[in-house]
Amino acid sequence: QQQVKQSPQSLIVQKGGISIINCAYENTAFDYFPWYQQFPGKGPALLIAIRPDVSEKKEGRFTISFNKSAKQFSLHIMDSQPGDSATYFCAASRNYGQNFVFGPGTRLSVLP
Amino acid sequence: ETGVTQSPTHLIKTRGQQVTLRCSSQSGHNTVSWYQQALGQGPQFIFQYYREEENGRGNFPPRFSGLQFPNYSSELNVNALELDDSALYLCASSSDPGDTQYFGPGTRLTVL
């Protein structure tokens, strides 16, 4: 119930294309869903986050789509750039919960 | 506003030794969470400290212990090191438990 599943494990996209990463969860008590971006040798950096009272949130080229009934959420990166090449983690937590549960990560490579 | 800092950057220990990792939280943050990230995996929650008290613990043995100081900086102590303890140890701070977590760059621990 505490798991967050993430797919695909790796993704290769051409420059200018759309990158889509999907996550699914079981625990309906989760109510905060952030996405983190991690470059090699660095800590994860918050990219964008959503709460389940909205179905979509957009910040620049990054969009989260959230489907509460299916218990799924996804990250869309529009106009993908080589600089977006990194590992992306979805996560979930309960309000004022101590434990952020992370997905296993998706390694994105954007080809020039 | 300074971000989350961690020290040391890298550390090499031998099996059976003890190690202390340090974390300075972001200005204004009273909550620190520690994560273990094995190579190629997502971060795994170790424990969280809120206002100097442990505020939740993941599935880690008691030889993983921590401390939070009045200035909200924190330490992670690991006793009786095992080879499997080799990982990137991440510290994240937040303004309250469950709020957005901001990660430091991590400490890379290698156990030989």
Side-chain angles (χ1 to χ4, degrees):
Chain A
Q1 269 241 330
Q2 283 290 90
Q3 269 191 327
V4 174
K5 297 179 181 179
Q6 183 173 348
S7 63
Q9 188 174 13
S10 62
L11 182 61
I12 299 174
V13 172
Q14 293 287 339
K15 179 182 175 181
I18 301 174
S19 303
I20 301 174
I21 305 170
N22 301 298
C23 283
Y25 63 98
E26 289 295 323
N27 189 344
T28 55
F30 288 146
D31 63 359
Y32 179 66
F33 303 90
W35 284 89
Y36 284 86
Q37 178 189 57
Q38 186 176 29
F39 293 104
K42 305 291 185 182
L46 180 68
L47 202 56
I48 186 173
I50 197 169
R51 294 196 184 271
D53 52 344
V54 297
S55 60
E56 186 175 280
K57 182 174 181 180
K58 184 176 181 179
E59 290 184 2
R61 296 186 294 110
F62 302 93
T63 300
I64 298 179
S65 297
F66 186 83
N67 186 329
K68 189 174 181 178
S69 60
K71 292 183 286 185
Q72 295 175 349
F73 58 110
S74 60
L75 174 69
H76 295 233
I77 305 174
M78 311 299 287
D79 187 27
S80 298
Q81 299 296 312
D84 296 331
S85 297
T87 300
Y88 292 81
F89 295 96
C90 61
S93 75
R94 293 178 292 138
N95 194 28
Y96 290 100
Q98 314 90 343
N99 184 358
F100 273 58
V101 181
F102 282 80
T106 295
R107 190 167 184 172
L108 172 65
S109 297
V110 181
L111 302 179
Chain B
E1 181 181 282
T2 57
V4 178
T5 60
Q6 292 185 243
S7 63
T9 306
H10 297 89
L11 203 52
I12 299 175
K13 292 285 189 179
T14 56
R15 196 170 50 181
Q17 285 189 310
Q18 177 265 344
V19 70
T20 297
L21 311 181
R22 294 179 175 82
C23 170
S24 291
S25 59
Q26 187 168 313
S27 176
H29 287 183
N30 57 26
T31 304
V32 171
S33 303
W34 286 92
Y35 293 83
Q36 180 194 66
Q37 186 177 23
L39 201 61
Q41 296 182 22
Q44 298 290 314
F45 176 71
I46 302 175
F47 44 57
Q48 183 183 78
Y49 279 84
Y50 170 57
R51 295 182 181 272
E52 302 180 59
E53 297 287 332
E54 186 176 293
N55 189 48
R57 188 179 184 92
N59 189 27
F60 280 80
R63 59 190 186 84
F64 286 78
S65 63
L67 200 58
Q68 186 178 33
F69 299 99
N71 66 354
Y72 301 130
S73 65
S74 178
E75 285 182 356
L76 163 65
N77 299 289
V78 187
N79 293 322
L81 283 167
E82 300 177 0
L83 298 180
D84 285 349
D85 295 333
S86 295
L88 181 68
Y89 288 84
L90 295 163
C91 161
S93 75
S94 53
S95 54
D96 271 311
D99 276 356
T100 298
Q101 297 192 355
Y102 296 90
F103 284 83
T107 293
R108 172 70 63 186
L109 173 65
T110 301
V111 182
L112 303 176

